[in-house]
Amino acid sequence: MRFFLLVVAALTCAAGCARPISRPSLTLVDPSVSFADLRQNPDRYSGRTLLLGGAIAAVRVLPGGGSDLEMVQFPTDKVGRITATNTSGGRFVARDGVFRDPAIYRAGRLMTLVATVEGVQQGRLGDVDYLYPVLTVVELHLWPEVERPGASPVRFGIGIGVGTSF
């Protein structure tokens, strides 16, 4: 029994420590470029590969079958885990050559990615003109959804007798 508990604990720890982004993609990242630097002068960092995290704000399907994911940037640690969701350096566009279904990649979902700076594109954010850094996706990780406070989770139970369930 103790051996079983040790194995379960080790597997749980390993899953919690897993990297959202592969080691080969992480080796491409230039850690000297912050998101604040990128926002200030996107053209200066063209061709650099960055590690970014954030929440999806919108998804646009492109004519060639790819997708533009408008992201609200959130800080990450050095392996890509999002460290805070209450602060952002701004928005960016993650351009992906893969079709990302807006029903799955919907607003509010958290994502971490490694992407190469392509340039900048002007857009609108509400009633304001906004310059979006545009990055081409190298690898991305869509974080699993978590139960939100007030949501009605789907529960499944098997009961035996009165008032007993597993």
Side-chain angles (χ1 to χ4, degrees), residues 26-87:
L26 288 174
T27 63
L28 302 172
V29 172
D30 182 347
S32 69
V33 181
S34 70
F35 187 73
D37 295 336
L38 176 65
R39 284 274 306 132
Q40 210 167 27
N41 191 353
D43 290 328
R44 178 177 179 196
Y45 301 104
S46 184
R48 304 263 185 103
T49 302
L50 307 178
L51 174 66
L52 298 167
I56 299 170
V59 177
R60 287 178 286 289
V61 178
L62 302 174
S67 305
D68 272 358
L69 297 117
E70 181 181 332
M71 302 291 300
V72 177
Q73 182 269 344
F74 292 143
T76 66
D77 65 13
K78 65 183 180 180
V79 296
R81 286 187 220 86
I82 294 171
T83 58
T85 58
N86 60 349
T87 183

Side-chain angles (χ1 to χ4, degrees), residues 136-159:
T136 302
V137 173
V138 173
E139 181 180 341
L140 63 76
H141 174 80
L142 184 66
W143 290 95
E145 290 184 284
V146 295
E147 184 178 323
R148 303 206 186 274
S152 298
V154 176
R155 299 191 189 271
F156 176 78
I158 298 173

